[in-house]
């Protein structure tokens, strides 16, 4: 039987033998023997089991359904979807067909994903450009696309965010000696991707505003 691939919204091809009266047997046989025979046929065929669950046999349709489920409520990059399809053993040819189609209709847009990621992770978590680049690379975003998205943040905005992070953390370090405060605050900024020079400058200024003696804090931490 010839398989068909339709865009969009095509239903899975019916399994061979499916149709009105399928499984009832001769003369409406619902007896014990007929039941055993039906169960035996079903349990012996994994593909029949998948068909009974409504899973399409066409790998293109399988890939399409997987991608739609993964994209529900959560944007993803092409690489993330490709990795998911590979994990589910979808053939590369079918995966490429579906992923390219989704890109054509705008369901996959790595540039929009990167822009939204930078906006969310910088303002929501305070991550610096270096950390954002690292995260986007792990998600398979192209370097040129990353550079454009990171261009949203300039050094002044990044430093202002660093000051806000330190101001929120400063109170919890009171009572510690100066060097411990420095290490804790600067370490927090380093984990979020801020460079050593900026972190030291921001922390020193914050400590000075609290009346701390910052002489000698020009040394790298």
């Amino acid at each position: 039987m010839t398989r068909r691939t339709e865009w969009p919204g095509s239903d899975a091809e019916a399994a061979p033998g499916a149709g009105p009266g399928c499984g009832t047997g001769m003369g409406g046989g619902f007896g014990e023997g007929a039941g055993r025979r039906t169960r035996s046929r079903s349990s012996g065929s994994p593909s029949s089991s998948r068909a009974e669950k409504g899973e399409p046999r066409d790998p293109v349709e399988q890939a399409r359904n997987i991608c739609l489920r993964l994209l529900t409520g959560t944007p993803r990059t092409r690489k993330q979807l490709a990795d998911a399809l590979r994990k589910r053993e979808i053939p590369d040819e079918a995966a490429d067909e579906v992923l390219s189609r989704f890109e054509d209709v705008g369901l996959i847009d790595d540039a929009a994903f990167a822009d939204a990621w930078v906006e969310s992770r910088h303002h929501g978590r305070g991550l610096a450009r270096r950390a954002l680049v690292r995260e986007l690379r792990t998600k398979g975003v192209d370097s040129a696309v990353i550079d454009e998205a990171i261009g949203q943040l300039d050094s002044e905005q990044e430093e202002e965010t660093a000051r806000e992070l330190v101001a929120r953390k400063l109170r919890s370090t009171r009572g510690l000696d100066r060097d411990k405060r420095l290490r804790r605050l600067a370490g927090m900024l380093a984990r979020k991707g801020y460079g050593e020079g900026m972190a030291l400058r921001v922390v020193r200024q914050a400590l000075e505003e609290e009346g701390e003696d910052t002489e000698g804090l020009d040394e790298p931490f």
Side-chain angles (χ1 to χ4, degrees):
M1 178 169 57
T2 303
R3 296 172 179 170
R4 297 176 294 107
T5 302
E6 299 177 1
W7 293 95
S10 61
D11 295 327
E13 185 181 33
C22 178
T24 59
M26 293 293 292
F30 289 97
E32 183 178 355
R36 284 198 299 269
R37 287 193 296 274
T38 301
R39 287 192 296 272
S40 176
R41 286 195 299 270
S42 297
S43 61
S45 174
S47 60
S48 297
S49 177
R50 287 195 299 270
E52 289 172 1
K53 294 178 182 178
E55 297 180 7
R57 296 183 177 185
D58 182 355
V60 172
E61 280 297 311
Q62 288 180 333
R64 177 180 177 274
N65 290 344
I66 290 168
C67 288
L68 286 175
R69 285 198 299 269
L70 291 174
L71 287 169
T72 300
T74 306
R76 298 178 191 269
T77 65
R78 176 167 179 144
K79 181 181 184 300
Q80 287 178 301
L81 294 172
D83 288 345
L85 295 177
R86 192 174 299 111
K87 183 178 180 180
R88 289 163 174 80
E89 300 183 346
I90 300 296
D92 289 344
E93 184 177 351
D96 288 341
E97 178 181 338
V98 171
L99 294 173
S100 295
R101 174 59 175 164
F102 274 39
E103 282 186 327
D104 290 343
V105 300
L107 291 175
I108 300 175
D109 188 337
D110 282 4
F113 177 96
D115 287 343
W117 188 268
V118 169
E119 175 72 18
S120 172
R121 300 286 283 176
H122 179 73
H123 293 290
R125 298 288 303 278
L127 297 187
R129 286 175 291 186
R130 185 165 58 184
L132 293 168
V133 168
R134 185 168 57 246
E135 288 187 342
L136 288 172
R137 282 177 179 165
T138 64
K139 296 182 181 301
V141 179
D142 183 77
S143 295
V145 175
I146 293 175
D147 290 343
E148 187 171 350
I150 293 298
Q152 299 178 42
L153 302 176
D154 57 34
S155 58
E156 291 182 2
Q157 183 177 355
E158 194 174 49
E159 184 163 336
E160 179 60 30
T161 301
R163 294 183 191 283
E164 293 172 359
L165 290 169
V166 169
R168 290 200 294 266
K169 186 76 172 177
L170 198 62
R171 179 178 297 178
S172 66
T173 67
R174 289 172 185 161
L176 300 175
D177 65 51
R178 186 196 67 176
D179 290 345
K180 284 185 178 179
R181 298 186 78 188
L182 171 67
R183 287 193 297 270
R184 184 166 297 184
L185 295 169
M188 178 268 296
L189 291 180
R191 288 190 295 274
K192 291 181 178 291
Y194 292 90
E196 184 178 277
M198 178 184 292
L200 181 59
R201 181 172 65 254
V202 168
V203 172
R204 176 175 180 172
Q205 290 174 350
L207 293 177
E208 285 177 347
E209 290 173 0
E210 284 205 339
E212 285 273 16
D213 179 10
T214 60
E215 184 177 356
L217 288 185
D218 291 328
E219 296 298 323
F221 55 87

